[in-house]
């Protein structure tokens, strides 16, 4: 043999091929031919051991004493900062003591009690409002029935279009046939100004509203003395829709130039 020292034989037991350009495995440092130099081809044991060691190094053992479960992912408790497996993630670390539980319960009961008290007050207010509304509605119906019985007004107003008012006359006007107040009716489709003119004409009250003279006739609420409406071109139906006045309401017909308009003492009109 001319070159006895040239080349090396493959370390693979079933190969032993003499290779003049051998390859050395970087893991096990053995020599292999080009067919077996790959770690999978010669089943490199060094690689498997390193993999096993790496796998063992990233395993996290459950902190529960009786548990041997491990996990490649670390799951730390937010309170004790220890790793626990999925089974023991609820290990009692976050459970409150009796004192803490009592304090928290009391803390949550305070707003709950406040809400209950506030709700009770609101419920009572709603109940009172509904009761008052029912009583007011019933009183208004009774008032309307009484006014209708003796109301007077233009005969050409159809019954289906009549709106009624119990009108108190101005303090300066005396009418022995009517007295101090009288039920009247007007057409609900008239303007507010025309309604005042019609009521004044029906009750024989001097009316200068269509002239430039001051001290004009206006309608006020008997309950408060407030002016019902300052715009004479407002339709009466609009005032009913806005609840500014109701059918059968007790009102005061009076002369006024006051700004703002009001009657200081409505009790004078009886």
């Amino acid at each position: 043999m001319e070159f006895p020292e040239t080349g090396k034989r493959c370390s693979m037991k079933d190969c032993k091929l003499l290779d003049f350009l051998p390859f050395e495995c970087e893991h096990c440092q053995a020599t292999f031919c080009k067919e077996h130099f790959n770690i999978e081809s010669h089943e490199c044991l060094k690689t498997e051991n390193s993999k096993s060691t790496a796998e063992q190094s990233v395993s996290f053992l459950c902190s529960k004493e009786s548990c041997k479960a491990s996990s490649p992912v670390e799951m730390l408790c937010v309170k004790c900062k220890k790793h626990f497996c999925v089974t023991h993630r609820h290990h009692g670390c976050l459970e409150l003591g009796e004192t803490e539980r009592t304090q928290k319960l009391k803390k949550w009961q305070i707003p709950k009690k406040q809400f209950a008290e506030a709700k009770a007050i609101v419920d009572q207010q709603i109940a009172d409002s509904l009761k008052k509304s029912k009583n007011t509605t019933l009183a208004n119906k009774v008032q309307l029935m009484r006014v209708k019985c003796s109301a007077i007004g233009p005969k050409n107003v159809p019954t289906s279009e009549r709106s009624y008012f119990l009108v108190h006359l101005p303090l300066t006007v005396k009418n022995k046939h009517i007295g101090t107040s009288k039920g009247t009716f007007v057409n609900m489709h008239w303007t507010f100004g025309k309604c005042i003119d019609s009521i004044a004409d029906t009750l024989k009250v001097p009316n200068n509203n269509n002239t430039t003279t001051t001290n004009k006739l206006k309608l006020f609420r008997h309950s408060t003395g407030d002016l019902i409406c300052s715009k004479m071109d407002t339709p009466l139906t609009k005032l009913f829709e806005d609840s500014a006045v109701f059918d059968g309401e007790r009102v005061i017909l009076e002369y006024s130039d006051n700004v703002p308009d009001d009657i200081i003492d409505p009790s004078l009109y009886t």
Side-chain angles (χ1 to χ4, degrees), residues 28-77:
C28 62
Q29 281 74 46
T31 303
F32 297 94
C33 65
K34 65 179 181 179
E35 298 294 333
H36 300 112
F37 80 93
N38 190 282
I39 57 176
E40 284 81 8
S41 299
H42 65 269
E43 299 178 354
C44 186
L45 298 176
K46 290 286 185 179
T47 305
E48 291 180 2
N49 291 335
S50 62
K51 284 184 178 179
S52 176
T53 303
E55 288 175 358
Q56 289 175 5
S57 64
V58 295
S59 294
F60 298 94
L61 190 65
C62 179
S63 297
K64 184 77 173 177
E65 291 182 4
S66 58
C67 181
K68 302 300 180 182
S70 62
S71 171
V73 179
E74 188 176 27
M75 295 180 288
L76 298 178
C77 172

